[in-house]
Amino acid sequence: MPTFSAYDGTELAYHEKGDGEPLLCVPGGPMRASAYLGDLGGLTAHRRLILLDLRGTGDSAVPDDPATYRCDRLVDDVEALREHLGLDQVDLLGHSASGNIATLYAARHPKRVRTLVLVAPATHAVGLTVTDRDHREAAALRAGEPWYPAVEAALDEIAAGRSPVELMDALAPLAYGRWDAAAQAHRAASASEKNAEAAAAFYGDGAFDPTATRAALTDLAAPVLVLAGEWDGGPNPAHAEELAGLFPHGVRQVQPHGGHFPWLDDPEWFVRRVAGFLAQD
């Protein structure tokens, strides 16, 4: 397991899978170990995945200063990994919460990005807000599922003021295109893979300046793929379209019947789209 030293001396780990040109992959969660990404549906047949364990997760060390878990400060860890790998430019993939990290990296280091892939990305960095209505509309697309009544009841409780964190187990089926044994096992692993303290600090005050980030993204020459699942509430396809439009060379793809982890729902579709996009460079 290779490691490298971050800007503050924290030892960070990454995992390599597959062959070919490297694709630097930043996991979401927020602050979930990269193990949940697996081989991204078989993308390893086309690329060598460099799977970063963010500080305090997986095989990476816990930093001395918990404030360094804040999203914008994690951008420096991605840059340290690029330098460690000796790459002049990177093909960068961010999933879910790390869509914020990858977006901020592109804004801060536009000349270091060759291609950018944002999979079901969070959009706090650019000031796009996913609402309860968005989640309800996405959930309604699954109204025929046997688990839907429990999800609807949980959404009602959230609307009445209960914390979504308390109801994540009930809402879990919404994250997957199929709530089968594989999806349930993937969900069950989350608790042991996620650093709760780090997650609490990830969205800390001062992490985002959407106006400045949007302005900086206009300098990004790299092609950008924003991939959303048809059944994902955050971001839904409309948010993904708006996000893609903030990049000079952004495109959106919507995976049919895909959830928040689209490589699990239809690996062949996912790999074909992502590998095809990366091959255009």
Side-chain angles (χ1 to χ4, degrees):
M1 176 196 62
T3 63
F4 65 101
S5 181
Y7 63 93
D8 61 349
T10 303
E11 186 178 42
L12 303 182
Y14 60 96
H15 305 267
E16 298 183 87
K17 296 182 179 180
D19 299 305
E21 288 292 314
L23 175 64
L24 202 165
C25 303
V26 188
M31 306 308 290
R32 184 173 177 180
S34 65
Y36 83 93
L37 294 172
D39 65 358
L40 285 173
L43 193 56
T44 46
H46 303 270
R47 285 297 184 112
R48 175 165 57 99
L49 305 185
I50 308 295
L51 302 157
L52 174 63
D53 279 341
L54 293 167
R55 54 181 54 218
T57 72
D59 293 310
S60 288
V62 173
D64 292 333
D65 183 3
T68 61
Y69 288 135
R70 203 175 74 178
C71 179
D72 58 320
R73 292 167 180 164
L74 296 171
V75 172
D76 291 329
D77 291 343
V78 177
E79 175 64 358
L81 177 54
R82 181 198 65 79
E83 293 177 347
H84 169 77
L85 295 171
L87 299 173
D88 183 58
Q89 290 187 307
V90 294
D91 296 316
L92 180 64
L93 181 149
H95 170 248
S96 190
S98 75
N100 289 311
I101 301 174
T103 298
L104 291 177
Y105 183 89
R108 197 179 301 176
H109 303 285
K111 297 185 184 304
R112 295 300 187 184
V113 179
R114 185 167 64 178
T115 58
L116 177 62
V117 179
L118 301 173
V119 180
T123 53
H124 304 72
V126 294
L128 297 180
T129 302
V130 176
T131 67
D132 290 341
R133 180 177 179 179
D134 294 323
H135 287 296
R136 278 191 173 275
E137 290 178 348
L141 298 174
R142 321 287 295 281
E145 297 284 358
W147 43 258
Y148 179 76
V151 165
E152 187 176 35
L155 290 172
D156 287 341
E157 289 191 56
I158 292 170
R162 190 170 174 188
S163 169
V165 175
E166 300 175 6
L167 297 164
M168 291 306 293
D169 288 341
L171 298 173
L174 289 177
Y176 299 89
R178 296 185 308 277
W179 188 234
D180 55 13
Q184 291 171 40
H186 189 264
R187 164 64 184 170
S190 176
S192 62
E193 293 170 348
K194 192 171 179 180
N195 181 329
E197 178 190 9
F202 185 85
Y203 291 114
D205 291 343
F208 306 115
D209 184 344
T211 301
T213 298
R214 287 180 179 229
L217 292 176
T218 62
D219 293 331
L220 185 66
V224 179
L225 171 64
V226 181
L227 193 152
E230 178 188 6
W231 288 341
D232 192 9
N236 62 28
H239 286 111
E241 180 73 16
E242 188 172 358
L243 176 61
L246 298 178
F247 298 97
H249 307 287
V251 295
R252 181 199 68 164
Q253 290 276 348
V254 178
Q255 182 167 317
H257 300 173
H260 200 62
F261 305 92
W263 64 91
L264 296 176
D265 300 322
D266 189 342
E268 183 179 349
W269 191 100
F270 178 86
V271 170
R272 184 167 64 249
R273 292 305 190 281
V274 175
F277 171 79
L278 293 170
Q280 294 179 44
D281 181 57

